[in-house]
Amino acid sequence: MTDSYAQFLGVEVENFGNGHATATLTIGGDHLNPHRTAHGALLYSVIGSALAAAANNDTHSGVVSSIHVDYLAPAYEGDQLVAVAELAERAAREDIFAIRLTRPADAVTVARASGRATRREKKPA
């Protein structure tokens, strides 16, 4: 499934299935806030892109119902960021995910998040 919003931002999403996905972005000048750091809404979007990809598979559509983000460190123009979403818990109708957004160049965790996605069975095409 194509994520047009992620593509618009420059986020590359890799869906590994089974509740795991990775989203990668290199911070550009258009991603900065007035403090010259990556805008919090952008970081949220990278996290959300990884979560959405992890919540979807061949048989179910995961509809994200909440994301809680703790912003821990700034990111700057030129930084590459990687968000990894992992299934943490499976309930009857929803999945809970843990997401970590890191800057691999110096192993800094920029943000950590948790999110929920309701599972809906995909209808045959």
Side-chain angles (χ1 to χ4, degrees):
M1 180 181 311
T2 301
D3 186 336
S4 297
Y5 181 64
Q7 287 179 344
F8 171 76
L9 294 174
V11 177
E12 294 182 30
V13 180
E14 296 181 21
N15 188 353
F16 297 102
N18 298 319
H20 178 92
T22 301
T24 305
L25 173 72
T26 299
I27 304 298
D30 291 338
H31 297 137
L32 304 178
N33 62 27
H35 304 287
R36 306 298 299 161
T37 59
H39 198 287
L42 175 75
L43 303 179
Y44 180 95
S45 293
V46 177
I47 288 166
S49 295
L51 170 58
N56 286 278
N57 61 33
D58 292 339
T59 59
H60 290 91
S61 292
V63 179
V64 176
S65 56
S66 71
I67 301 175
H68 173 85
V69 180
D70 294 312
Y71 299 99
L72 304 174
Y76 301 95
E77 187 171 0
D79 286 351
Q80 182 188 53
L81 301 180
V82 177
V84 177
E86 302 267 359
L87 179 65
E89 182 180 340
R90 178 154 276 168
R93 292 180 36 203
E94 70 179 7
D95 294 329
I96 311 296
F97 293 86
I99 309 98
R100 189 163 298 272
L101 181 66
T102 62
R103 183 174 49 232
D106 58 3
V108 167
T109 299
V110 174
R112 64 177 173 234
S114 61
R116 292 183 352 189
T118 302
R119 282 191 317 280
R120 294 191 179 156
E121 192 169 328
K122 286 185 180 176
K123 302 203 187 284

